[in-house]
Amino acid sequence: MTQSRRLAAILAADVVGYSRLMGADEEGTLAVLKAVRRELGDPKVKEHRGRIVKTTGDGLLIEFGSVVDAVRCALEVQEGMAERNAGVAETRRILFRMGINLGDIIKDGHDIFGDGVNVAARLEALAEPGGICVSAIVRDQVEGRLDCAFEDIGEQALKNIARPVRAYRIGPRPSGPHAGDPSTGSGAALPLPDKPSIAVLPFTNMSSDPEQEFLADGIAEDVITALSRYPSLFVIARNSSFTYKGRAAGVKEVGRDLGVRSVLEGSLRKAGNRIRVTAQLVEAETGNHVWAERYDRDLADIFALQDEITEAVTIAVAPAIDEAERHRAMRKPPENLDAWAAYQRGLWHLAKVTSEDNARAQRYFQQAIELDPSFTGGFTGLALAHFHAAAVFAQGSLSEAQSSVEALARRAVALDGADAQARWSLGLALLARGDLQGGQAEAERALSMCPNLPSAHGLLGAALIYSGRPREGVAAVETSVRLDPCAPASWLNMQQIAVGWYFAREYAAAIEAANRTIRAYPDYPLIYRWLAVALGQAGRTEEAREALQKALMFPSFDLYVRQRPAWMRAKDHSHMLEGLQKAGWTG
């Protein structure tokens, strides 16, 4: 098959919320999309001399010989879609995003490739629902030749594109007495907070039963309240987010109006004695879907149902936002980090579980403190990294590290005593120096402020495990893992489960938990000791010796064997030594 290179105008388009629309009504959505293609899209492409290169379930790629034809076609299609959507319920509207670029392409048979195509696809992702986004070269070619207006959105770093691309939003030129009057618009965008921010929109009642309206509103209100308990989140109050009830507003508009990075939207549908709630978390600036889920439940006890769905949505959303924030921070150049981004980079390195990454994490946490001395995250992150340096990687004195951790934690609590994460940090410090009751009290205090804080559940579990209540402790740690299975320090939670089962004399469960930790984090040193002791107690001598040899490779082995750590009871330490001896350790 021969290839040729040429200059072409490329239009990329996709359907906004395709998976949501298909999930709500697959057959109806497909029928509407086919009608749109047949009655509007295909005729317009033909009229403006375009060629549909390919289609996917939710998108199209179209080639034009003229960039003016491409833009004119896009404007007319979007105008036609606006007319078709008039009077259609917001949740049932078909909305397109479009991106247009002029650039080199490689034609291979019927298909086309190259940066010219890639840039168009990336620009499409920047467009608003029902909107068009174009590159600077398109704007330069079209301006003055078509009656349309351009909004400069600055240089954009596009995925897999080497250099930033200047982008513009494009639409029909305003007309009428208020054209160009900024007072008639939605106003300037609010500045983004210096931590993750979210608005929860009213959930849409898609059932024919108006009585379900209060349930839809109740779920959204409860999610707002639950997310507000997370100290790391900035959550828009109900009164502001509910101003969008019954209004047709895209997530980008909501993000600009309310000054948030993320928008949570959802819907509710009732059929007989069953109810379906869908929810999706969207990145406001790009329109990208971060997370989506569907919940099908029996409509028995309506208040219990509301609580159950609220908890499920909240548990899923908070970690999804944290993950998105870490990815955003890692995309920033190091010289442009603010305190929050530096903190997120520190967490990213902390999760790598190597001494080198732990040292990098300390530097980023210190940078966060220097950039904003009032930000508690820098202090809590640095406290954890200092603890890991001594307790995991045997770097420096453990007693000195414990003093440093406590000083940093107390500084965080002094800055904000109502910050649950700061309370968790202080609880960790108290636990590390052997004050198990104090550690448990701080964990419970943190949970009273933020009931779904994963790190506080993990701390509570550790305090219970080392206080002689291992089964209760394992349950608390498992709650932590369920709340945030991808947490930066999930390796520590996984180890604590193994330790808890070992102290409970459940050696098979301890072996399983230890092996699960090793599969996920093979470089984490402390877990091999617990695998060795559990195998030794289970009488699996050869496997125990092999695990012991790996444990002996790490300098941290002697740290907890020769001298009992402050947080471990004497009887539990003796139990550990017994397991080591059965594994072949001679001291």
Side-chain angles (χ1 to χ4, degrees):
M1 190 173 292
T2 59
Q3 293 184 346
S4 62
R5 184 181 294 273
R6 68 185 186 203
L7 188 70
I10 305 301
L11 188 156
D14 80 344
V15 179
V16 179
Y18 179 76
S19 59
R20 172 181 58 81
L21 291 165
M22 293 291 284
D25 183 4
E26 183 175 348
E27 291 184 3
T29 299
L30 286 173
V32 172
L33 282 173
K34 288 179 180 179
V36 168
R37 281 282 308 273
R38 182 178 63 252
E39 299 166 9
L40 177 64
D42 289 2
K44 286 296 180 184
V45 171
K46 183 177 180 181
E47 178 186 343
H48 296 294
R49 297 170 290 280
R51 179 179 75 91
I52 297 177
V53 178
K54 58 186 173 185
T55 64
T56 60
D58 64 344
L60 298 96
L61 184 66
I62 309 172
E63 175 190 3
F64 293 84
S66 159
V67 71
V68 173
D69 282 342
V71 173
R72 184 181 283 120
C73 178
L75 288 168
E76 291 180 7
V77 168
Q78 293 291 42
E79 183 180 353
M81 288 304 300
E83 292 174 357
R84 295 175 74 97
N85 283 324
V88 178
E90 181 185 354
T91 54
R92 300 177 185 270
R93 291 176 182 172
I94 301 292
L95 296 171
F96 289 105
R97 287 184 296 216
M98 297 182 179
I100 304 175
N101 183 45
L102 177 65
D104 283 335
I105 63 167
I106 300 170
K107 188 170 188 289
D108 189 349
H110 189 75
D111 212 346
I112 57 176
F113 306 93
D115 276 356
V117 177
N118 295 337
V119 169
R122 302 293 180 248
L123 291 170
E124 167 239 289
L126 296 176
E128 296 178 328
I132 307 165
C133 190
V134 304
S135 60
I137 190 171
V138 171
R139 183 252 193 192
D140 294 342
Q141 293 280 330
V142 171
E143 191 173 34
R145 302 174 68 184
L146 292 176
D147 190 24
C148 55
F150 296 87
E151 177 192 353
D152 187 351
I153 59 173
E155 289 194 339
Q156 302 291 323
L158 305 181
K159 184 178 180 181
N160 296 331
I161 304 299
R163 290 181 296 180
V165 174
R166 194 163 200 90
Y168 295 81
R169 292 194 179 101
I170 184 174
R173 189 174 299 282
S175 59
H178 299 292
D181 181 0
S183 66
T184 62
S186 59
L190 290 173
L192 292 172
D194 57 358
K195 60 181 179 178
S197 46
I198 183 172
V200 180
L201 297 182
F203 280 35
T204 304
N205 176 24
M206 298 179 66
S207 74
S208 58
D209 182 1
E211 292 296 320
Q212 301 309 314
E213 191 77 22
F214 79 93
L215 177 58
D217 287 351
I219 291 172
E221 291 174 7
D222 285 354
V223 169
I224 291 171
T225 301
L227 289 175
S228 297
R229 295 185 179 130
Y230 282 81
S232 60
L233 296 180
F234 178 93
V235 183
I236 294 295
R238 182 245 190 235
N239 287 343
S240 293
S241 61
F242 266 61
T243 60
Y244 292 89
K245 185 174 176 64
R247 289 173 51 190
V251 292
K252 292 185 181 180
E253 178 187 342
V254 174
R256 285 199 305 270
D257 289 350
L258 299 180
V260 293
R261 287 197 180 102
S262 304
V263 174
L264 180 71
E265 53 186 3
S267 64
L268 178 148
R269 181 190 297 275
K270 177 178 176 286
N273 292 323
R274 297 281 289 174
I275 195 164
R276 170 174 292 179
V277 174
T278 62
Q280 56 184 357
L281 182 67
V282 184
E283 197 171 50
E285 184 179 6
T286 65
N288 292 335
H289 285 67
V290 176
W291 165 87
E293 191 56 84
R294 185 178 74 191
Y295 305 93
D296 293 312
R297 299 290 189 273
D298 288 321
L299 190 60
D301 183 339
I302 197 160
F303 295 109
L305 171 70
Q306 183 170 317
D307 290 344
E308 180 186 353
I309 292 177
T310 296
E311 181 182 19
V313 171
T314 306
I315 286 172
V317 166
I321 293 175
D322 282 343
E323 183 69 14
E325 287 294 313
R326 279 193 285 278
H327 284 299
R328 183 180 292 111
M330 293 308 295
R331 292 197 299 264
K332 278 192 172 187
E335 61 272 15
N336 291 342
L337 297 181
D338 55 20
W340 179 256
Y343 167 68
Q344 290 296 332
R345 283 219 177 189
L347 291 179
W348 189 87
H349 283 289
L350 198 68
K352 296 296 181 182
V353 204
T354 69
S355 59
E356 295 80 7
D357 278 293
N358 195 73
R360 293 190 186 99
Q362 290 184 56
R363 290 196 291 271
Y364 279 118
F365 292 138
Q366 186 62 51
Q367 182 180 354
I369 292 170
E370 292 167 358
L371 287 167
D372 185 357
S374 65
F375 174 48
T376 60
F379 293 96
T380 60
L382 189 58
L384 187 57
H386 279 187
F387 179 71
H388 288 173
V392 177
F393 303 112
Q395 296 170 339
S397 163
L398 183 58
S399 60
E400 290 179 6
Q402 289 166 347
S403 298
S404 172
V405 169
E406 186 167 349
L408 289 164
R410 290 195 181 280
R411 176 60 178 156
V413 170
L415 285 169
D416 187 356
D419 186 330
Q421 199 76 24
R423 288 291 179 185
W424 159 82
S425 179
L426 179 56
L428 174 67
L430 296 176
L431 183 71
R433 68 171 168 85
D435 184 358
L436 300 177
Q437 288 185 336
Q440 180 178 336
E442 288 297 336
E444 290 170 343
R445 187 172 285 119
L447 288 172
S448 70
M449 300 170 180
C450 185
N452 289 321
L453 186 65
S455 56
H457 282 283
L459 175 64
L460 175 61
L464 292 170
I465 287 169
Y466 290 108
S467 297
R469 298 159 64 184
R471 294 180 185 277
E472 295 173 66
V474 166
V477 177
E478 286 177 340
T479 298
S480 176
V481 173
R482 183 172 69 87
L483 287 170
D484 192 0
C486 299
S490 58
W491 43 272
L492 184 57
N493 275 334
M494 295 170 76
Q495 175 187 279
Q496 298 293 17
I497 292 172
V499 174
W501 287 128
Y502 180 79
F503 287 166
R505 272 62 174 176
E506 297 282 354
Y507 301 126
I511 292 167
E512 181 184 350
N515 279 324
R516 191 163 57 244
T517 307
I518 290 168
R519 285 194 296 271
Y521 300 97
D523 296 327
Y524 176 50
L526 303 186
I527 191 60
Y528 291 98
R529 171 165 46 97
W530 292 106
L531 177 60
V533 298
L535 287 166
Q537 296 284 13
R540 295 162 60 173
T541 308
E542 289 303 316
E543 295 172 83
R545 289 181 186 277
E546 183 180 342
L548 177 63
Q549 290 307 308
K550 292 180 180 179
L552 290 168
M553 292 169 56
F554 299 102
S556 56
F557 179 83
D558 282 345
L559 190 65
Y560 303 104
V561 173
R562 308 289 180 187
Q563 183 176 349
R564 177 172 62 89
W567 59 83
M568 192 180 295
R569 299 182 307 164
K571 63 186 298 184
D572 290 332
H573 188 252
S574 297
H575 183 206
M576 182 192 71
L577 293 178
E578 178 185 282
L580 284 173
Q581 290 161 0
K582 290 182 179 180
W585 181 67
T586 59

